[in-house]
Amino acid sequence: MNTLLKYTYASAIIAGASCMVSCDDFLDTNPDNRATIDNEQKVQNLLVGAYPDHDHIYVAELVSDNIDDYGEKNPETERFCEDTWAWEDEKETDDESLESFWQSSLVSIAAANEALKAIENMSESSAMQEAKGEALLCRAYNYFMLANMFCMPYNKAKNDTQLGLPYLTEPETKLCPEYKRGNMTDLYNHIQTDIEEGLALVNGSYYTVPKYHFTKRAAYAFATRFYLYTEQWEKAVEAATLCLGDQPATMLRDWKIMSQMTQDFDAISKQYINADENANLLLLTSYSAAGLFFGPYRYNSRYSHGAYLAEKEDIRATQLWGDYTSFYVNPKVYSATNLDKTVFWKLPYIFEYTDPVAKIGHAHIVYPTLTTDETLLSRAEAYIMLKQYDKACDDMNMWMHAITKSDKVLTTDMVNEFYNKAKYSYSDADSIESQLKKHLNPSFTIDAEGSTQENMLQAVLTFRRVETMHMGLRWFDIKRYGIEIPRRIMNAKGVPEKKKDFLKKDDPRRALQLPNKVIEAGLEKNPR
């Protein structure tokens, strides 16, 4: 296990528990004191721990353009939120913190490596080959998510000089080994190798509940996202097509059925994460209060996706499909003293009591980290980069008709007309007012502003923003496209009052800082 986290990967980890201790505290413990993994069932049980139980979602939403500050006088906050929203290095930790996400990811990577090592010494049965594929995909997934949080965005011209992460492929047997971060080229090459080897092996035939593991379809969805982020447009299209099949429309989330349900937060959010929903390809569980942050609650509401953002930029703005009443399930607006929140009901609030008498315990969520809807929009984006605009429109129409009642059929002419009339946000150095478009500054080449390609990208990024609202993926699109955003303070009327900061396209804070304990243990920190 990577002791930069100051962990021991012992039999307790295999049982599903973990702890953080210093190297000094651990000097009397044998780092090789592991349980013996010597049969198929033990390997399969071990792989349950190869999926992280803490997530990136709340941090990634806070640092994105989906959140505004509703003022210092708003008491509904905590220090962790204030620092994160302001792109400051983490000073406090909780279940949503970067430290929790990092350590959970590394524990998951260690579980994958333990499984792979055990499989080397076992017979090559079909079940063990599937388990090997799952372990490789889990390792790749965890590193990919860490890279997108803690590293600068993928950039072909700079990857050889940008800081990566140590890619561990063996169980850790030394007490306090030293690691170097390496570069982004090596990191992404390792991830791609694991994805492609894992894809060839994984199937999912032995899973009791397949949606909580990497199936073949989920693996193709992950591959699609990876190829999209690494500018391998043809491969992204190919992987998405294999994921979606011949009738993609039947695989999308059924918002129409959800609109016919009782319009209750618990009912809608639990349906959103239902394992029987075709759109959900990989579900993960997490210690998180995201159901409070993005649900009908005041909790931490000083930093919110409020009415101004919703009406000017995304889920209540007039878009290509029409206005917000076009959605099958409308965004919900909450407005009161110290409360300005506009949200989709997505993530449930699940509370586990560890002491029912004292009423204490842990908040949980279940979240779909891979879906057919996002995969479809990833394919549309790849088509746009290949300038196959009619195919991109076909995919965008499928998504639009699944989530809205609109009967419009998008064409490039419609997209050009709509976005050429729209204004850009932050058109000058002092502007903090929202508009429908953001200037795009990717490291890869796109056509000029106002071109068909740029307008189509504006459209698909808006579709992706709506689709991934409250799920943390907007931050990754901001990084990929060099989208510049302000930190602005809203006034009592809920409109921008002043600018506190501005994140430029090449700002080093786009690589969130490593946890303090990891830096203290010797891993090179991100420059500031």
Side-chain angles (χ1 to χ4, degrees):
M1 177 59 204
N2 183 348
T3 49
L4 287 167
L5 284 174
K6 303 183 181 180
Y7 276 118
T8 168
Y9 189 84
S11 57
I13 296 293
I14 296 170
S18 64
C19 61
M20 183 180 293
V21 295
S22 71
C23 288
D24 291 339
D25 293 337
F26 186 48
L27 286 174
D28 59 350
T29 303
N30 179 1
D32 245 351
N33 183 23
R34 297 180 174 90
T36 302
I37 311 300
D38 55 6
N39 62 48
E40 293 182 357
Q41 188 61 55
K42 288 182 180 179
V43 170
Q44 292 166 6
N45 290 343
L46 179 58
L47 284 174
V48 172
Y51 297 89
D53 61 6
H54 289 75
D55 63 70
H56 66 291
I57 292 174
Y58 191 43
V59 168
E61 285 292 303
L62 278 171
V63 296
S64 78
D65 59 356
N66 283 342
I67 304 290
D68 281 318
D69 180 357
Y70 279 81
E72 296 177 357
K73 294 182 180 179
N74 188 323
E76 302 294 336
T77 188
E78 53 192 46
R79 177 69 179 275
F80 164 72
C81 300
E82 296 174 23
D83 291 342
T84 303
W85 176 84
W87 304 308
E88 294 180 4
D89 294 353
E90 195 169 83
K91 301 179 184 68
E92 298 184 5
T93 64
D94 63 12
D95 278 339
E96 268 76 30
S97 68
L98 288 171
E99 182 178 292
S100 296
F101 171 64
W102 173 280
Q103 69 186 52
S104 177
S105 299
L106 266 290
V107 168
S108 300
I109 290 164
N113 284 337
E114 288 286 349
L116 289 166
K117 188 66 174 180
I119 291 168
E120 287 180 3
N121 301 316
M122 298 173 66
S123 62
E124 294 188 5
S125 67
S126 60
M128 284 302 88
Q129 289 304 293
E130 285 191 42
K132 180 179 180 181
E134 182 180 9
L136 289 166
L137 287 162
C138 286
R139 184 167 70 188
Y141 172 84
N142 281 285
Y143 271 117
F144 179 72
M145 297 303 287
L146 287 170
N148 278 281
M149 292 295 283
F150 294 106
C151 299
M152 291 296 282
Y154 183 91
N155 184 327
K156 284 184 179 179
K158 296 182 178 180
N159 279 345
D160 288 346
T161 57
Q162 300 275 34
L163 285 173
L165 294 170
Y167 204 92
L168 306 183
T169 59
E170 295 284 341
E172 185 51 69
T173 58
K174 297 180 180 179
L175 184 58
C176 289
E178 294 184 2
Y179 291 104
K180 301 296 183 182
R181 288 189 60 173
N183 60 46
M184 289 285 284
T185 298
D186 291 342
L187 175 59
Y188 274 86
N189 284 344
H190 279 302
I191 294 171
Q192 182 161 341
T193 296
D194 277 355
I195 289 173
E196 292 176 350
E197 186 178 351
L199 252 174
L201 298 172
V202 77
N203 188 4
S205 62
Y206 66 80
Y207 306 144
T208 303
V209 185
K211 293 292 182 72
Y212 286 84
H213 297 267
F214 267 109
T215 61
K216 183 73 81 175
R217 196 181 292 274
Y220 278 124
F222 174 35
T224 300
R225 188 187 294 175
F226 174 82
Y227 291 136
L228 185 76
Y229 285 21
T230 55
E231 304 164 29
Q232 299 179 69
W233 317 121
E234 293 89 352
K235 285 189 173 183
V237 168
E238 181 182 0
T241 301
L242 289 167
C243 171
L244 296 166
D246 296 332
Q247 295 181 306
T250 66
M251 296 300 299
L252 302 182
R253 190 173 305 281
D254 196 337
W255 288 98
K256 184 176 182 179
I257 289 294
M258 291 171 71
S259 73
Q260 297 166 2
M261 296 172 55
T262 300
Q263 293 303 292
D264 170 81
F265 171 69
D266 286 340
I268 297 297
S269 61
K270 287 177 180 177
Q271 176 59 31
Y272 187 84
I273 55 95
N274 193 328
D276 293 330
E277 167 60 63
N278 284 342
N280 295 331
L281 299 178
L282 178 60
L283 295 166
L284 298 181
T285 61
S286 178
Y287 290 96
S288 171
L292 289 177
F293 307 141
F294 307 123
Y297 306 97
R298 287 181 177 271
Y299 193 64
N300 281 351
S301 60
R302 172 177 166 182
Y303 297 96
S304 289
H305 180 266
Y308 179 84
L309 257 177
E311 292 168 6
K312 295 289 186 177
E313 294 190 20
D314 47 65
I315 58 179
R316 280 177 65 90
T318 297
Q319 302 283 6
L320 282 164
W321 53 80
D323 65 22
Y324 73 92
T325 61
S326 297
F327 287 115
Y328 278 114
V329 179
N330 290 337
K332 303 303 184 287
V333 178
Y334 301 97
S335 180
T337 302
N338 295 321
L339 179 64
D340 185 338
K341 181 188 289 188
T342 301
V343 297
F344 277 130
W345 288 339
K346 288 186 176 181
L347 299 175
Y349 174 54
I350 304 167
F351 195 84
E352 174 194 3
Y353 286 101
T354 54
D355 186 336
V357 176
K359 295 185 178 181
I360 58 174
H362 303 286
H364 294 266
I365 59 168
V366 176
Y367 65 101
T369 191
L370 295 168
T371 67
T372 55
D373 301 80
E374 187 229 341
T375 302
L376 182 73
L377 293 178
S378 294
R379 185 171 73 175
E381 183 184 333
Y383 277 140
I384 293 167
M385 291 307 303
L386 295 169
K387 298 191 175 182
Q388 298 178 25
Y389 301 130
D390 289 344
K391 291 181 179 179
C393 283
D394 289 342
D395 283 352
M396 292 165 68
N397 279 313
M398 272 189 280
W399 178 86
M400 185 175 72
H401 294 151
I403 197 172
T404 77
K405 295 170 281 189
S406 174
D407 59 1
K408 294 180 180 178
V409 177
L410 299 180
T411 64
T412 54
D413 288 343
M414 290 175 62
V415 172
N416 280 328
E417 181 181 6
F418 182 85
Y419 280 101
N420 281 331
K421 289 181 180 178
K423 296 180 180 179
Y424 287 97
S425 296
Y426 332 131
S427 55
D428 59 63
D430 297 319
S431 174
I432 55 175
E433 292 186 357
S434 288
Q435 304 290 345
L436 281 177
K437 297 192 293 189
K438 303 287 178 76
H439 294 286
L440 306 180
N441 306 285
S443 62
F444 49 90
T445 301
I446 61 173
D447 291 348
E449 291 185 347
S451 67
T452 295
Q453 186 178 57
E454 196 259 356
N455 285 332
M456 289 289 290
L457 287 171
Q458 292 286 350
V460 79
L461 288 171
T462 297
F463 284 29
R464 288 178 61 86
R465 187 177 186 181
V466 171
E467 171 59 33
T468 64
M469 182 69 62
H470 318 317
M471 303 302 295
L473 294 181
R474 172 63 177 176
W475 174 239
F476 300 165
D477 287 350
I478 287 169
K479 292 178 68 168
R480 292 191 301 123
Y481 278 90
I483 296 172
E484 300 183 329
I485 50 177
R487 294 287 76 157
R488 58 193 181 191
I489 313 298
M490 312 300 276
N491 65 20
K493 295 181 180 180
V495 298
E497 181 176 63
K498 61 181 180 180
K499 181 171 68 176
K500 183 176 181 179
D501 201 350
F502 196 84
L503 190 75
K504 295 184 178 180
K505 62 183 180 180
D506 54 356
D507 196 307
R509 292 174 297 177
R510 289 175 182 266
L512 302 180
Q513 192 57 272
L514 301 181
N516 288 329
K517 287 185 172 63
V518 177
I519 296 170
E520 290 167 3
L523 199 61
E524 183 179 354
K525 67 180 181 180
N526 288 322
R528 288 290 182 262

